[in-house]
């Protein structure tokens, strides 16, 4: 039979008994120690009242043998470990007895005929206090431990027989219960009691609970398959909705290609893969030339149609490995994994030619400028984007409708160009 509950309660009872014993012992030792200190103070008071007058007379008369004799008598007290007396002119002379070091001494002035004839220092014998305290601690604690052990063992036996044993029977019944099998009510294996006690009530509640579990199991079996199908259907719907939300979060609503957030994520992944595989990576940044004029002359709806058609031309022209996206406004970015700068410039030139020859709805022919940049060993994503953007500005500066690469930029000539001149 497993008695873990009884052992656990036994440990708690032992712990509580031990704490109670320590508290009771500490309180008793505290008051005993205070009583011993009171006796020590009474001893010092007795010495002051009965022996210091004789010492004062001896010090007044410089009767050194008498002073030494009385000092030795004080030192023989159980409360005194040592004493010393200073007397004479400026109290320069001194007599000692016993151990005159350790704790702080009691000091008394010796008076005779209204004058101070000396000072006596008495060192208390604290070892007596310590020994008494230790002896009492051992006796009281041993008594408390003995009582606690006897009480705890008796409670352990009673709890094992009256509580743990019936609970173990209930646990065995609970472990053997299988929903769907023939249910047999549980009965305690003990002598019948005249009136129901707490365990009887617990057994009745246990049987009632398992009967309800049996009925609930039948209901569960009937509906489990239906619920499973419903959960599976809802899970599929949620998964599809989550995938759609994830796609929409990185997709430009107007053009259907990546938005800036999607491009940022794709660029970070492409840079990480390029560094791991030691393969080249390049960017193409393109901008529709004079796009503002389209909005001004034909309206924003025509401008939106131009952006949609421009994105469609990009998707049809670039290779499957390239990743297009709308960077913002009329600017588009194309990530070209595995493509060096020369290959990427050729692709950009192909795009430029295709767009220039394409007839867009309403506006007809439009041109675009392209900036190309390739990843170097020290470039971050921001560096690579900045290089592509600068190359695009260079293409704009040179007259638009052309391709400029990052290493072809004339940085000195770019310093005087404003955003208005570029657009």
């Amino acid at each position: 039979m497993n008695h873990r509950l009884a052992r656990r309660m036994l440990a708690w009872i032992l712990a509580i008994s031990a704490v109670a014993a320590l508290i009771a012992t500490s309180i008793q030792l505290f008051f005993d120690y205070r009583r011993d200190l009171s006796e020590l103070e009474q001893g010092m008071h007795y010495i002051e009242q009965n022996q210091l007058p004789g010492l004062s007379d001896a010090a007044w008369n410089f009767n050194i043998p008498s002073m030494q004799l009385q000092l030795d008598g004080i030192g023989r007290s159980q409360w005194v470990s040592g004493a010393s007396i200073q007397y004479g002119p400026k109290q320069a002379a001194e007599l000692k007895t016993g151990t005159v070091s350790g704790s702080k001494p009691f000091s008394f002035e010796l008076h005779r005929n209204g004058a101070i004839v000396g000072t006596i220092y008495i060192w208390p014998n604290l070892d007596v206090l310590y020994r008494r305290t230790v002896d009492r601690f051992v006796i009281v604690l041993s008594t408390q431990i003995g009582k606690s052990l006897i009480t705890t063992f008796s409670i352990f036996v009673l709890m094992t027989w009256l509580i743990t044993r019936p609970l173990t029977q209930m646990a065995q019944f609970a472990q053997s219960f299988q929903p769907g099998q023939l249910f047999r009510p549980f009965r305690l294996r003990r002598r019948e009691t005249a009136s129901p006690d707490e365990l009887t009530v617990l057994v009745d509640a246990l049987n009632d609970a398992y009967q309800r579990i049996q009925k609930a199991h039948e209901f569960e079996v009937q509906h489990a398959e239906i619920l499973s199908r419903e959960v599976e259907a809802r899970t599929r719907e949620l998964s599809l909705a989550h995938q759609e939300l994830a796609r929409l979060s990185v997709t430009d609503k107007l053009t259907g290609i990546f938005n800036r957030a999607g491009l940022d994520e794709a660029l970070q992944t492409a840079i990480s893969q390029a560094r791991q595989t030691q393969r080249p990576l390049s960017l193409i940044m393109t901008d529709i030339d004079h796009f503002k004029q389209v909005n001004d002359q034909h309206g924003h709806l025509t401008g939106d149609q131009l952006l949609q058609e421009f994105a469609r031309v990009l998707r049809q022209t670039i290779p499957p490995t390239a990743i297009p996206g709308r960077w913002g406004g009329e600017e588009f970015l194309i990530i070209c994994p595995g493509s060096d700068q020369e290959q990427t410039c050729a692709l950009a030139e192909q795009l430029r030619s295709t767009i220039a020859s394409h007839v867009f709805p309403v506006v007809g022919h439009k041109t675009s400028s392209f900036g190309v940049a390739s990843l170097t060993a020290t470039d971050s994503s921001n560096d690579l984007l900045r290089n592509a953007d600068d190359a695009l500005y260079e293409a704009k500066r040179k007259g638009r409708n052309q391709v400029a690469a990052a290493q072809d930029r004339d940085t000195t000539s770019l310093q005087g160009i404003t955003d208005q001149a570029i657009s």
Side-chain angles (χ1 to χ4, degrees), residues 53-120:
L55 272 174
S56 299
D57 291 339
W60 175 263
N61 297 313
F62 288 92
N63 189 346
I64 297 176
S66 177
M67 284 192 291
Q68 186 66 56
L69 181 63
Q70 294 184 60
L71 198 64
D72 291 340
I74 293 173
R76 283 192 290 273
S77 171
Q78 66 171 341
W79 297 112
V80 178
S81 66
S84 69
I85 181 172
Q86 297 177 356
Y87 64 96
K90 299 183 180 181
Q91 299 187 12
E94 184 179 20
L95 294 176
K96 299 180 181 179
T97 186
T99 303
V100 291
S101 62
S103 61
K104 182 180 180 181
F106 291 86
S107 63
F108 304 96
E109 293 181 342
L110 303 178
H111 296 270
R112 186 70 167 85
N113 296 331
I116 299 175
V117 297
T119 303
I120 183 171

Side-chain angles (χ1 to χ4, degrees), residues 82-364:
S84 69
I85 181 172
Q86 297 177 356
Y87 64 96
K90 299 183 180 181
Q91 299 187 12
E94 184 179 20
L95 294 176
K96 299 180 181 179
T97 186
T99 303
V100 291
S101 62
S103 61
K104 182 180 180 181
F106 291 86
S107 63
F108 304 96
E109 293 181 342
L110 303 178
H111 296 270
R112 186 70 167 85
N113 296 331
I116 299 175
V117 297
T119 303
I120 183 171
Y121 298 92
I122 302 174
W123 278 263
N125 187 3
L126 298 181
D127 290 340
V128 174
L129 293 178
Y130 298 151
R131 286 196 300 272
R132 286 187 177 186
T133 301
V134 171
D135 293 341
R136 287 170 182 154
F137 176 79
V138 172
I139 293 172
V140 173
L141 187 61
S142 300
T143 303
Q144 294 288 346
I145 290 175
K147 292 190 295 184
S148 299
L149 289 175
I150 294 173
T151 303
T152 302
F153 179 75
S154 302
I155 294 174
F156 172 75
V157 173
L158 286 173
M159 290 189 60
T160 301
W161 180 257
L162 296 177
I163 299 177
T164 306
R165 181 170 166 269
L167 290 178
T168 302
Q169 296 175 19
M170 295 182 196
Q172 292 172 349
F173 169 76
Q175 291 174 353
S176 64
F177 175 77
Q178 294 291 337
Q181 296 181 356
L182 179 63
F183 177 73
R184 294 179 180 178
F186 172 71
R187 295 287 181 268
L188 278 175
R189 296 188 297 273
R190 66 172 186 175
R191 183 182 301 175
E192 295 292 334
T193 57
S195 58
D197 55 13
E198 290 82 355
L199 287 175
T200 304
V201 175
L202 181 60
V203 168
D204 293 340
L206 182 67
N207 288 326
D208 180 65
Y210 276 110
Q211 286 177 350
R212 286 186 276 114
I213 291 174
Q214 188 81 352
K215 294 178 181 178
H217 175 72
E218 296 173 359
F219 176 83
E220 181 182 355
V221 170
Q222 295 173 1
H223 292 81
E225 186 175 353
I226 298 174
L227 291 175
S228 177
R229 289 197 296 267
E230 290 182 356
V231 168
E232 185 178 354
R234 297 297 181 272
T235 302
R236 284 197 301 269
E237 292 175 2
L238 288 174
S239 178
L240 293 174
H242 178 74
Q243 294 174 6
E244 180 64 15
L245 286 174
R247 186 189 67 80
L248 291 176
S249 67
V250 295
T251 301
D252 181 61
K253 184 178 181 181
L254 180 64
T255 61
I257 58 178
F258 273 146
N259 58 16
R260 186 155 186 166
L263 285 171
D264 283 337
E265 183 178 344
L267 180 58
Q268 294 295 338
T269 302
I271 291 176
S272 177
Q273 292 176 350
R275 296 199 190 283
Q276 291 175 1
T277 60
Q278 299 295 313
R279 298 188 64 194
L281 172 67
S282 300
L283 292 185
I284 299 174
M285 186 170 287
T286 179
D287 183 293
I288 301 175
D289 295 333
H290 303 297
F291 179 77
K292 185 175 182 300
Q293 295 177 4
V294 176
N295 284 332
D296 293 341
Q297 295 175 10
H298 303 282
H300 290 280
L301 182 60
T302 301
D304 290 345
Q305 293 174 349
L306 172 59
L307 292 173
Q308 292 172 336
E309 183 67 11
F310 187 87
R312 189 185 66 81
V313 173
L314 290 182
R315 285 200 304 267
Q316 291 179 347
T317 307
I318 62 176
T321 56
I323 304 170
R326 184 181 178 191
W327 189 243
E330 69 274 18
E331 285 189 341
F332 292 79
L333 184 70
I334 302 171
I335 304 171
C336 303
S339 178
D340 58 24
Q341 186 150 297
E342 183 179 353
Q343 295 169 330
T344 308
C345 285
L347 175 60
E349 179 58 32
Q350 181 185 357
L351 287 169
R352 187 203 63 76
S353 176
T354 301
I355 290 169
S357 61
H358 187 77
V359 178
F360 292 90
V362 182
V363 298

